[in-house]
Amino acid sequence: MKDDKTTQNGTNRRKFLKMGLLSGATTVAGASLLANLTSEEELKASGEKIRVLTPDGKMVEVDAESINNYPEAHITPEESRKGIPGRKFVMVIDLSKCKNARTCVESCQKAHHLDYNEEYMKILLLQDHEEADPYWFPKPCYHCDEPPCVTVCPTGATFKRDDGIVLIDNERCIGCKFCVTSCPYSVRQFHWSHKPKFDNTDLPYSPETSVPGEVGTVMKCDFCPDMIRQGKLPHCVSSCPMGVIYFGDKNEDMVTNGEETVRFSELINDRGGYRYLEHLGTKPNVYYLPPVDRQFPLERGFDVDEEIIERYKDVPYVQDMKEKGKI
Amino acid sequence: MDVTIRKKELVKEFSPMLLKPSKWSKIWMAILVAFILYGLVALVVQLTKGQVVTGMRDNVVWGIYTINFIFFLCLSYSGAFASGVLHFFNTPWKNAVSRIVEIITVVSLIVGPIFIILCMARLDRLHYLFIYPRIQSPITWDVIAITTDLIGCLLYLYLTFIPDFAILRDNSEGLPKWRKKLYTSLAIGYQDTPTQRRRLHKITKIMSAMVIALAIVTYSVLAWIFSLTLQPGWNSTIFAPYFIVAGLYSGIGVVIIAMYLIRKYFKLDHYIRKAHFLSAGVILLITALLYGYFTFSEYFARWFSHKTHDANLLETLFNDYFWMFILANYIGILVPIAIVFFKKLRTIKTITFAAVIAVVGLWFNRYLIVVPTQETPYLPIQDTRPEFVHYSATWVEWALSFAGVAAFVLFFMLLMRLVPIIPMSGIIDYEKKGKVRRDGLTQQQQP
Ligand code: SF4
Ligand code: SF4
């Protein structure tokens, strides 16, 4: 029965999807929701009826004015456990276009009130084998379908939602750090001490925004469900000048990097998409496109702070370059 | 033999140990308390400032707290195992050591979990483990296993204390009033009648089998906390038995050390004899061989198949942790084996020395299991603060670790003030049995 409903809603959504995609480059495929409309100035006083997609996937007709009265919906920790119905979020990262510009890192830090030294998104410099050239490798949380971090959590503070997103409820986390040791991708980080920014209670805490932080709890990339609910793309996706990161809905088979919207299945199959460390069986929801036909030379990535370069000092390639005096 | 007179004698013999602490034991206690106070200062610092005062950081999130936790549980487990075996099979020389072993079991089971609690960053939310339990999580299994084990071991320890409490109650001339009262209530009306005796014996025997089972379960669950993850170096099928053998090894080591110290400071040479050291030494030898075998298989398989991630781990072990590796896995195993293997080398002192090496080596072996793996994850550690890459414990962690050891010794000493470290009831049983057997022999010889 539930499935029937989803298919029905699915057709509606698909219609809406076209509208959404036409209306703005930053709109996630089909993720146009109530809150989105609050920002549209001209609708404010119009009084006309408009059709919107509610967070639970229903198409409804509402008065445009009444929409304005909705503040950006605050999703409580309890609500955040459910997920956005009928969705299955995926990310595709095109390694051939990444040049360690770090705008994704920085915009994410800004949005999640992170310090300069805390990154949900990390950029690694990987080299697959001796013959291969190294490449830049952005690493968010993979929002695994078989997430070890969720299995081991003794309190259910970290959880997997129906829409595929893995979140942390830092009001429930007891700081045992078992999830940190069990994530094979070293994604999770920890609030080791209290910081003044945690006291900022302007925004009530929601696992969907991961703000404000809380001492003694874990944190990680959250796929920005708050943005998705507003019909926007996660910060890393929209900020990347190269359009490296695609985000979308697997059920819709659509992903977008803000500039182009493509079929997820085609992208993966045509470009040899893969998941990192597939053999571990964690079933990530983040796919990579291999670093072939690079658009930028690798060295462009060293156009960053000295302190950042230092973070790659153990990579043989970097040691080589340093010896040659190239960086 | 008149049992009542013998009881009196024994109480007389042991009561100085219970009542009049020597100058040395007072000094020792003062030192221990100082260590514990220092640990409390560290605890306050950690609670107020957060775990930022420890050496743990994003890459290595489990440090020496976790190691101490495994280490103490390891002692407890092996204590339970040893004492269960001693009781269950009614080993002839068990009496002198059984109480030492039992106390080690319980005390380390109390101290151990404190460390894992220290490792949790939000102590104020500890009760969430019970209000939001998730049975899928190995930590939940651990909580269940440890509490059950603790209750089981406390009960068991108490059962073995009862006859002595009764003896102390009945022969309490000269004991302070509060002690008399304490012993009376603790002895719960035990009168040493044949029925009571039979019952107590039966229950103790059942419990002794139970604590072995409980200990094995608890310690396996503990090993699974590591081996159920996907991390290279932890995800190993032999971890549970490996931990169990390692536990036995270090446990026997601590028993030997305790025997040595108690014998020396309380002048109990006639109860704790060389024979005990020799038997314990042989067990140490057997467990050392087993433990060495497990250690070897564990690393040999990784080294021989050299999957990339295993190879990375071994590289970390052999580069960054070279000396620790040698100390833990060569010296910590081979030296005790060498000492106890040759008959000529087996003296009380050398066996104790071997035990010390075994225990220290095992602590470092646990360190090598916990820390280097976290420093060598699947994805290389990059794009992170340089000071976040390697782990080294801070004074707070050391202070609390030493406080833990101090608490262990202090608890031990305090329990020794409550009951004689050599079970008096056991001595009487032993002497009775000896008499019966002698009588039996004489009867047989006389046609
Ligand atoms: S990448 Fe790590 S933190 Fe993210 S869902 Fe998978 S296991 Fe959990
Ligand atoms: S640190 Fe928090 S989120 Fe992670 S396993 Fe422990 S309780 Fe769960």
Side-chain angles (χ1 to χ4, degrees):
Chain A
M1 225 179 89
K2 208 176 161 195
D3 279 350
D4 282 350
K5 211 169 119 197
T6 345
T7 26
Q8 263 179 29
N9 290 334
T11 36
N12 281 339
R13 241 195 336 267
R14 211 149 283 141
K15 268 189 228 143
F16 201 75
L17 169 75
K18 282 185 198 126
M19 274 170 59
L21 289 174
L22 289 173
S23 69
T26 52
T27 312
V28 184
S32 205
L33 307 166
L34 264 181
N36 186 22
L37 293 157
T38 49
S39 59
E40 306 271 328
E41 280 286 331
E42 70 265 84
L43 286 175
K44 257 187 182 161
S46 69
E48 64 189 287
K49 298 269 182 208
I50 52 161
R51 294 184 355 126
V52 289
L53 194 68
T54 62
D56 55 349
K58 277 194 215 115
M59 185 66 88
V60 290
E61 206 158 78
V62 286
D63 194 282
E65 214 163 340
S66 65
I67 298 171
N68 299 331
N69 297 334
Y70 280 102
E72 275 185 18
H74 167 242
I75 307 292
T76 63
E78 213 35 64
E79 287 161 353
S80 73
R81 287 185 180 254
K82 292 200 196 83
I84 305 169
R87 299 315 180 85
K88 185 87 177 72
F89 297 109
V90 282
M91 186 179 268
V92 182
I93 298 175
D94 185 352
L95 297 173
S96 67
K97 291 194 282 194
C98 181
K99 60 163 194 176
N100 195 23
R102 302 185 78 81
T103 43
C104 56
V105 181
E106 283 154 18
S107 66
C108 171
Q109 284 174 328
K110 201 161 152 235
H112 294 102
H113 302 195
L114 299 176
D115 292 352
Y116 171 70
N117 269 325
E118 299 168 336
E119 315 79 7
Y120 286 175
M121 176 74 101
K122 284 187 189 287
I123 317 288
L124 306 188
L125 181 56
L126 294 188
Q127 184 169 18
D128 287 345
H129 51 82
E130 286 93 344
E131 296 304 316
D133 288 335
Y135 55 91
W136 297 107
F137 180 90
K139 185 191 71 171
C141 168
Y142 292 164
H143 296 271
C144 309
D145 276 346
E146 298 282 348
C149 56
V150 172
T151 333
V152 301
C153 179
T155 59
T158 197
F159 53 88
K160 172 100 186 156
R161 322 199 298 180
D162 293 342
D163 58 5
I165 297 182
V166 173
L167 286 186
I168 298 155
D169 177 355
N170 78 14
E171 290 179 349
R172 194 181 286 186
C173 174
I174 60 168
C176 67
K177 296 168 281 183
F178 197 5
C179 55
V180 185
T181 55
S182 70
C183 169
Y185 307 105
S186 315
V187 157
R188 290 174 168 245
Q189 288 155 66
F190 202 70
H191 288 299
W192 293 101
S193 62
H194 183 82
K195 297 192 173 136
K197 63 183 180 186
F198 297 167
D199 297 327
N200 179 3
T201 44
D202 292 352
L203 277 175
Y205 169 71
S206 169
E208 294 208 341
T209 55
S210 311
V211 176
E214 171 97 48
V215 61
T217 61
V218 278
M219 54 174 164
K220 71 166 184 70
C221 153
D222 53 18
F223 258 21
C224 300
D226 56 321
M227 298 299 280
I228 305 174
R229 282 193 201 267
Q230 297 172 49
K232 294 178 189 157
L233 287 167
H235 298 280
C236 52
V237 182
S238 54
S239 68
C240 178
M242 319 304 150
V244 169
I245 309 175
Y246 294 77
F247 188 84
D249 185 344
K250 200 151 119 192
N251 292 346
E252 303 283 6
D253 199 18
M254 285 283 179
V255 286
T256 176
N257 63 354
E259 281 151 25
E260 51 165 354
T261 303
V262 277
R263 291 219 163 268
F264 167 72
S265 54
E266 275 169 24
L267 189 63
I268 293 301
N269 287 313
D270 295 352
R271 305 265 316 265
Y274 65 95
R275 301 189 286 197
Y276 202 67
L277 298 182
E278 179 75 46
H279 73 279
L280 293 181
T282 49
K283 306 207 175 122
N285 277 310
V286 173
Y287 293 74
Y288 286 98
L289 302 179
V292 290
D293 296 331
R294 314 265 185 97
Q295 295 197 356
F296 306 97
L298 184 81
E299 293 78 47
R300 287 277 288 276
F302 291 107
D303 211 5
V304 287
D305 289 357
E306 193 63 31
E307 198 265 313
I308 304 272
I309 296 179
E310 264 307 288
R311 298 177 178 191
Y312 302 100
K313 66 176 190 317
D314 290 335
V315 185
Y317 175 82
V318 175
Q319 289 166 348
D320 237 39
M321 295 284 281
K322 272 195 177 159
E323 245 165 55
K324 289 184 193 146
K326 284 190 184 161
I327 20 177
Chain B
M1 180 182 67
D2 190 337
V3 175
T4 14
I5 294 178
R6 184 70 186 127
K7 275 183 186 169
K8 279 220 162 58
E9 277 172 21
L10 284 172
V11 173
K12 214 173 185 181
E13 182 181 349
F14 283 107
S15 58
M17 232 164 91
L18 301 179
L19 298 175
K20 291 193 213 89
S22 66
K23 194 177 82 203
W24 278 112
S25 80
K26 272 188 197 150
I27 293 176
W28 265 109
M29 283 203 188
I31 296 176
L32 294 174
V33 170
F35 267 111
I36 294 172
L37 288 180
Y38 189 49
L40 287 180
V41 172
L43 179 65
V44 171
V45 171
Q46 180 178 325
L47 288 183
T48 45
K49 295 202 179 146
Q51 288 194 340
V52 70
V53 297
T54 67
M56 296 185 273
R57 288 298 181 266
D58 285 351
N59 297 302
V60 183
V61 295
W62 286 348
I64 56 173
Y65 291 154
T66 312
I67 297 158
N68 292 338
F69 169 61
I70 317 176
F71 183 76
F72 276 109
L73 274 199
C74 193
L75 293 188
S76 163
Y77 144 74
S78 55
F81 193 87
S83 117
V85 169
L86 289 176
H87 260 280
F88 195 76
F89 295 107
N90 219 350
T91 327
W93 52 276
K94 74 165 198 209
N95 197 43
V97 288
S98 65
R99 183 148 294 158
I100 300 181
V101 176
E102 282 145 17
I103 297 181
I104 288 179
T105 307
V106 174
V107 172
S108 50
L109 198 52
I110 293 170
V111 174
I114 294 175
F115 280 106
I116 203 63
I117 289 173
L118 288 177
C119 185
M120 300 199 173
R122 294 299 300 247
L123 294 185
D124 52 323
R125 295 180 178 176
L126 216 52
H127 57 288
Y128 286 9
L129 283 172
F130 304 98
I131 16 183
Y132 306 113
R134 274 187 78 255
I135 200 69
Q136 298 92 321
S137 166
I139 293 205
T140 313
W141 309 347
D142 228 4
V143 172
I144 297 172
I146 292 178
T147 29
T148 320
D149 196 18
L150 188 61
I151 294 171
C153 284
L154 279 175
L155 257 178
Y156 174 63
L157 185 72
Y158 179 61
L159 286 175
T160 60
F161 277 6
I162 289 176
D164 275 12
F165 285 143
I167 297 178
L168 285 163
R169 174 199 59 198
D170 299 337
N171 301 281
S172 57
E173 304 92 39
L175 288 188
K177 258 228 174 83
W178 65 270
R179 270 197 193 251
K180 216 184 257 180
K181 264 201 198 130
L182 185 70
Y183 291 134
T184 315
S185 53
L186 283 177
I188 48 169
Y190 183 75
Q191 296 296 353
D192 208 14
T193 62
T195 352
Q196 278 184 337
R197 183 177 261 271
R198 214 175 324 113
R199 266 197 211 141
L200 185 68
H201 185 76
K202 210 170 167 186
I203 301 174
T204 318
K205 191 152 180 171
I206 294 174
M207 278 310 286
S208 67
M210 292 257 292
V211 286
I212 300 182
L214 277 178
I216 291 183
V217 171
T218 311
Y219 214 52
S220 303
V221 170
L222 182 66
W224 289 339
I225 289 217
F226 298 93
S227 66
L228 297 185
T229 67
L230 295 166
Q231 305 299 351
W234 285 357
N235 184 350
S236 156
T237 46
I238 64 164
F239 251 36
Y242 181 31
F243 268 46
I244 287 200
V245 168
L248 275 183
Y249 184 51
S250 65
I252 299 297
V254 170
V255 171
I256 294 177
I257 298 170
M259 276 175 12
Y260 180 80
L261 294 176
I262 290 166
R263 176 184 140 103
K264 190 153 179 210
Y265 287 103
F266 295 99
K267 317 239 161 4
L268 292 173
D269 302 19
H270 51 294
Y271 288 114
I272 306 175
R273 293 174 201 199
K274 190 170 178 191
H276 293 122
F277 282 88
L278 291 182
S279 327
V282 171
I283 302 176
L284 190 74
L285 176 65
I286 296 169
T287 47
L289 288 170
L290 267 174
Y291 166 65
Y293 167 71
F294 268 99
T295 311
F296 177 75
S297 337
E298 176 69 15
Y299 287 114
F300 179 66
R302 285 183 198 286
W303 174 79
F304 194 87
S305 58
H306 66 275
K307 280 185 283 187
T308 324
H309 300 290
D310 287 342
N312 289 345
L313 176 65
L314 289 181
E315 209 181 290
T316 313
L317 284 173
F318 284 124
N319 291 324
D320 302 354
Y321 292 95
F322 182 74
W323 288 111
M324 205 188 277
F325 194 85
I326 298 287
L327 174 68
N329 297 334
Y330 287 87
I331 299 179
I333 298 171
L334 296 179
V335 170
I337 290 182
I339 291 177
V340 242
F341 188 77
F342 297 106
K343 238 191 183 142
K344 269 196 214 135
L345 290 179
R346 279 185 223 154
T347 64
I348 294 181
K349 280 221 173 95
T350 53
I351 290 177
T352 313
F353 177 69
V356 172
I357 295 204
V359 173
V360 173
L362 198 108
W363 191 89
F364 282 109
N365 173 282
R366 307 285 99 169
Y367 191 98
L368 289 178
I369 287 176
V370 173
V371 174
T373 291
Q374 295 178 74
E375 288 180 354
T376 326
Y378 277 111
L379 283 138
I381 300 179
Q382 293 170 10
D383 200 2
T384 183
R385 277 167 269 192
E387 68 270 23
F388 270 33
V389 177
H390 289 291
Y391 170 77
S392 65
T394 59
W395 73 270
V396 173
E397 286 167 286
W398 287 119
L400 279 162
S401 303
F402 284 114
V405 177
F408 176 80
V409 181
L410 188 70
F411 276 151
F412 202 110
M413 290 175 81
L414 288 178
L415 271 176
M416 274 171 37
R417 302 282 305 281
L418 182 70
V419 276
I421 191 68
I422 313 288
M424 297 183 293
S425 57
I427 299 174
I428 292 171
D429 281 352
Y430 187 65
E431 286 167 357
K432 259 196 221 152
K433 238 184 246 154
K435 196 166 176 98
V436 168
R437 201 171 43 234
R438 243 176 287 143
D439 288 356
L441 269 180
T442 23
Q443 268 165 23
Q444 268 179 21
Q445 278 160 2
Q446 285 167 358

PDB file of all heavy atoms in Angstrom, chain A residues 239-256:
ATOM      1  N   SER A 239      28.772  25.120  -4.073  1.00  0.00           N
ATOM      2  CA  SER A 239      29.885  26.070  -4.037  1.00  0.00           C
ATOM      3  C   SER A 239      31.028  25.679  -4.962  1.00  0.00           C
ATOM      4  O   SER A 239      31.876  26.515  -5.269  1.00  0.00           O
ATOM      5  CB  SER A 239      30.411  26.176  -2.607  1.00  0.00           C
ATOM      6  OG  SER A 239      31.011  24.957  -2.261  1.00  0.00           O
ATOM      7  N   CYS A 240      31.077  24.450  -5.418  1.00  0.00           N
ATOM      8  CA  CYS A 240      32.247  24.029  -6.183  1.00  0.00           C
ATOM      9  C   CYS A 240      32.282  24.717  -7.542  1.00  0.00           C
ATOM     10  O   CYS A 240      31.364  24.564  -8.339  1.00  0.00           O
ATOM     11  CB  CYS A 240      32.248  22.506  -6.360  1.00  0.00           C
ATOM     12  SG  CYS A 240      33.644  21.962  -7.355  1.00  0.00           S
ATOM     13  N   PRO A 241      33.330  25.481  -7.826  1.00  0.00           N
ATOM     14  CA  PRO A 241      33.387  26.204  -9.092  1.00  0.00           C
ATOM     15  C   PRO A 241      33.575  25.271 -10.285  1.00  0.00           C
ATOM     16  O   PRO A 241      33.289  25.645 -11.416  1.00  0.00           O
ATOM     17  CB  PRO A 241      34.591  27.128  -8.925  1.00  0.00           C
ATOM     18  CG  PRO A 241      35.438  26.488  -7.878  1.00  0.00           C
ATOM     19  CD  PRO A 241      34.505  25.746  -6.978  1.00  0.00           C
ATOM     20  N   MET A 242      34.062  24.065 -10.027  1.00  0.00           N
ATOM     21  CA  MET A 242      34.325  23.139 -11.129  1.00  0.00           C
ATOM     22  C   MET A 242      33.126  22.228 -11.372  1.00  0.00           C
ATOM     23  O   MET A 242      33.156  21.405 -12.276  1.00  0.00           O
ATOM     24  CB  MET A 242      35.530  22.230 -10.841  1.00  0.00           C
ATOM     25  CG  MET A 242      36.693  22.894 -10.187  1.00  0.00           C
ATOM     26  SD  MET A 242      37.244  24.281 -11.120  1.00  0.00           S
ATOM     27  CE  MET A 242      37.860  25.279  -9.796  1.00  0.00           C
ATOM     28  N   GLY A 243      32.127  22.276 -10.528  1.00  0.00           N
ATOM     29  CA  GLY A 243      31.002  21.354 -10.682  1.00  0.00           C
ATOM     30  C   GLY A 243      31.419  19.905 -10.490  1.00  0.00           C
ATOM     31  O   GLY A 243      30.954  19.009 -11.190  1.00  0.00           O
ATOM     32  N   VAL A 244      32.316  19.692  -9.553  1.00  0.00           N
ATOM     33  CA  VAL A 244      32.834  18.340  -9.336  1.00  0.00           C
ATOM     34  C   VAL A 244      31.766  17.417  -8.734  1.00  0.00           C
ATOM     35  O   VAL A 244      31.685  16.242  -9.053  1.00  0.00           O
ATOM     36  CB  VAL A 244      34.063  18.404  -8.392  1.00  0.00           C
ATOM     37  CG1 VAL A 244      34.472  17.017  -7.919  1.00  0.00           C
ATOM     38  CG2 VAL A 244      35.212  19.092  -9.084  1.00  0.00           C
ATOM     39  N   ILE A 245      30.932  17.991  -7.865  1.00  0.00           N
ATOM     40  CA  ILE A 245      30.042  17.145  -7.069  1.00  0.00           C
ATOM     41  C   ILE A 245      28.613  17.211  -7.603  1.00  0.00           C
ATOM     42  O   ILE A 245      28.056  18.296  -7.775  1.00  0.00           O
ATOM     43  CB  ILE A 245      30.074  17.596  -5.594  1.00  0.00           C
ATOM     44  CG1 ILE A 245      31.528  17.698  -5.120  1.00  0.00           C
ATOM     45  CG2 ILE A 245      29.305  16.624  -4.718  1.00  0.00           C
ATOM     46  CD1 ILE A 245      31.677  18.257  -3.731  1.00  0.00           C
ATOM     47  N   TYR A 246      28.065  16.053  -7.874  1.00  0.00           N
ATOM     48  CA  TYR A 246      26.663  15.950  -8.286  1.00  0.00           C
ATOM     49  C   TYR A 246      25.873  15.404  -7.123  1.00  0.00           C
ATOM     50  O   TYR A 246      26.349  14.540  -6.390  1.00  0.00           O
ATOM     51  CB  TYR A 246      26.512  14.978  -9.462  1.00  0.00           C
ATOM     52  CG  TYR A 246      27.171  15.427 -10.734  1.00  0.00           C
ATOM     53  CD1 TYR A 246      28.551  15.309 -10.882  1.00  0.00           C
ATOM     54  CD2 TYR A 246      26.419  15.938 -11.777  1.00  0.00           C
ATOM     55  CE1 TYR A 246      29.165  15.710 -12.055  1.00  0.00           C
ATOM     56  CE2 TYR A 246      27.037  16.335 -12.960  1.00  0.00           C
ATOM     57  CZ  TYR A 246      28.402  16.217 -13.086  1.00  0.00           C
ATOM     58  OH  TYR A 246      29.005  16.617 -14.242  1.00  0.00           O
ATOM     59  N   PHE A 247      24.636  15.892  -6.997  1.00  0.00           N
ATOM     60  CA  PHE A 247      23.804  15.410  -5.903  1.00  0.00           C
ATOM     61  C   PHE A 247      22.406  15.194  -6.448  1.00  0.00           C
ATOM     62  O   PHE A 247      21.961  15.919  -7.321  1.00  0.00           O
ATOM     63  CB  PHE A 247      23.772  16.453  -4.779  1.00  0.00           C
ATOM     64  CG  PHE A 247      23.095  15.970  -3.538  1.00  0.00           C
ATOM     65  CD1 PHE A 247      23.799  15.224  -2.610  1.00  0.00           C
ATOM     66  CD2 PHE A 247      21.746  16.243  -3.306  1.00  0.00           C
ATOM     67  CE1 PHE A 247      23.186  14.760  -1.462  1.00  0.00           C
ATOM     68  CE2 PHE A 247      21.126  15.781  -2.155  1.00  0.00           C
ATOM     69  CZ  PHE A 247      21.850  15.042  -1.233  1.00  0.00           C
ATOM     70  N   GLY A 248      21.725  14.206  -5.944  1.00  0.00           N
ATOM     71  CA  GLY A 248      20.369  14.006  -6.438  1.00  0.00           C
ATOM     72  C   GLY A 248      19.681  12.844  -5.780  1.00  0.00           C
ATOM     73  O   GLY A 248      20.071  12.386  -4.706  1.00  0.00           O
ATOM     74  N   ASP A 249      18.647  12.377  -6.454  1.00  0.00           N
ATOM     75  CA  ASP A 249      17.764  11.363  -5.901  1.00  0.00           C
ATOM     76  C   ASP A 249      17.852  10.130  -6.784  1.00  0.00           C
ATOM     77  O   ASP A 249      17.616  10.200  -7.981  1.00  0.00           O
ATOM     78  CB  ASP A 249      16.338  11.938  -5.888  1.00  0.00           C
ATOM     79  CG  ASP A 249      15.354  10.991  -5.223  1.00  0.00           C
ATOM     80  OD1 ASP A 249      15.692   9.811  -5.054  1.00  0.00           O
ATOM     81  OD2 ASP A 249      14.254  11.453  -4.883  1.00  0.00           O
ATOM     82  N   LYS A 250      18.197   9.024  -6.157  1.00  0.00           N
ATOM     83  CA  LYS A 250      18.356   7.799  -6.938  1.00  0.00           C
ATOM     84  C   LYS A 250      17.000   7.309  -7.449  1.00  0.00           C
ATOM     85  O   LYS A 250      16.918   6.737  -8.539  1.00  0.00           O
ATOM     86  CB  LYS A 250      18.989   6.722  -6.062  1.00  0.00           C
ATOM     87  CG  LYS A 250      19.633   5.617  -6.850  1.00  0.00           C
ATOM     88  CD  LYS A 250      20.771   5.030  -6.064  1.00  0.00           C
ATOM     89  CE  LYS A 250      20.560   3.574  -5.763  1.00  0.00           C
ATOM     90  NZ  LYS A 250      21.521   3.090  -4.777  1.00  0.00           N
ATOM     91  N   ASN A 251      15.964   7.527  -6.676  1.00  0.00           N
ATOM     92  CA  ASN A 251      14.642   7.109  -7.144  1.00  0.00           C
ATOM     93  C   ASN A 251      14.244   7.863  -8.404  1.00  0.00           C
ATOM     94  O   ASN A 251      13.569   7.325  -9.272  1.00  0.00           O
ATOM     95  CB  ASN A 251      13.593   7.350  -6.054  1.00  0.00           C
ATOM     96  CG  ASN A 251      13.810   6.422  -4.879  1.00  0.00           C
ATOM     97  OD1 ASN A 251      14.568   5.452  -4.986  1.00  0.00           O
ATOM     98  ND2 ASN A 251      13.161   6.714  -3.767  1.00  0.00           N
ATOM     99  N   GLU A 252      14.639   9.097  -8.478  1.00  0.00           N
ATOM    100  CA  GLU A 252      14.346   9.897  -9.666  1.00  0.00           C
ATOM    101  C   GLU A 252      15.357   9.636 -10.770  1.00  0.00           C
ATOM    102  O   GLU A 252      15.176  10.067 -11.899  1.00  0.00           O
ATOM    103  CB  GLU A 252      14.422  11.391  -9.328  1.00  0.00           C
ATOM    104  CG  GLU A 252      13.522  11.844  -8.217  1.00  0.00           C
ATOM    105  CD  GLU A 252      12.086  11.984  -8.668  1.00  0.00           C
ATOM    106  OE1 GLU A 252      11.804  11.602  -9.823  1.00  0.00           O
ATOM    107  OE2 GLU A 252      11.270  12.457  -7.877  1.00  0.00           O
ATOM    108  N   ASP A 253      16.459   8.983 -10.388  1.00  0.00           N
ATOM    109  CA  ASP A 253      17.556   8.739 -11.320  1.00  0.00           C
ATOM    110  C   ASP A 253      18.106  10.044 -11.880  1.00  0.00           C
ATOM    111  O   ASP A 253      18.410  10.152 -13.062  1.00  0.00           O
ATOM    112  CB  ASP A 253      17.089   7.811 -12.459  1.00  0.00           C
ATOM    113  CG  ASP A 253      18.273   7.177 -13.166  1.00  0.00           C
ATOM    114  OD1 ASP A 253      19.375   7.170 -12.584  1.00  0.00           O
ATOM    115  OD2 ASP A 253      18.114   6.717 -14.307  1.00  0.00           O
ATOM    116  N   MET A 254      18.186  11.038 -11.066  1.00  0.00           N
ATOM    117  CA  MET A 254      18.672  12.343 -11.513  1.00  0.00           C
ATOM    118  C   MET A 254      19.714  12.865 -10.533  1.00  0.00           C
ATOM    119  O   MET A 254      19.509  12.769  -9.332  1.00  0.00           O
ATOM    120  CB  MET A 254      17.528  13.357 -11.508  1.00  0.00           C
ATOM    121  CG  MET A 254      16.545  13.210 -12.615  1.00  0.00           C
ATOM    122  SD  MET A 254      17.256  13.864 -14.117  1.00  0.00           S
ATOM    123  CE  MET A 254      15.914  13.545 -15.236  1.00  0.00           C
ATOM    124  N   VAL A 255      20.776  13.417 -11.066  1.00  0.00           N
ATOM    125  CA  VAL A 255      21.701  14.143 -10.199  1.00  0.00           C
ATOM    126  C   VAL A 255      22.092  15.445 -10.872  1.00  0.00           C
ATOM    127  O   VAL A 255      22.072  15.540 -12.103  1.00  0.00           O
ATOM    128  CB  VAL A 255      22.989  13.332  -9.897  1.00  0.00           C
ATOM    129  CG1 VAL A 255      22.717  12.219  -8.914  1.00  0.00           C
ATOM    130  CG2 VAL A 255      23.629  12.808 -11.156  1.00  0.00           C
ATOM    131  N   THR A 256      22.418  16.434 -10.080  1.00  0.00           N
ATOM    132  CA  THR A 256      22.814  17.711 -10.660  1.00  0.00           C
ATOM    133  C   THR A 256      23.985  18.288  -9.886  1.00  0.00           C
ATOM    134  O   THR A 256      24.119  18.050  -8.688  1.00  0.00           O
ATOM    135  CB  THR A 256      21.636  18.709 -10.650  1.00  0.00           C
ATOM    136  OG1 THR A 256      22.103  19.956 -11.147  1.00  0.00           O
ATOM    137  CG2 THR A 256      21.081  18.905  -9.255  1.00  0.00           C
TER     138      THR A 256
END
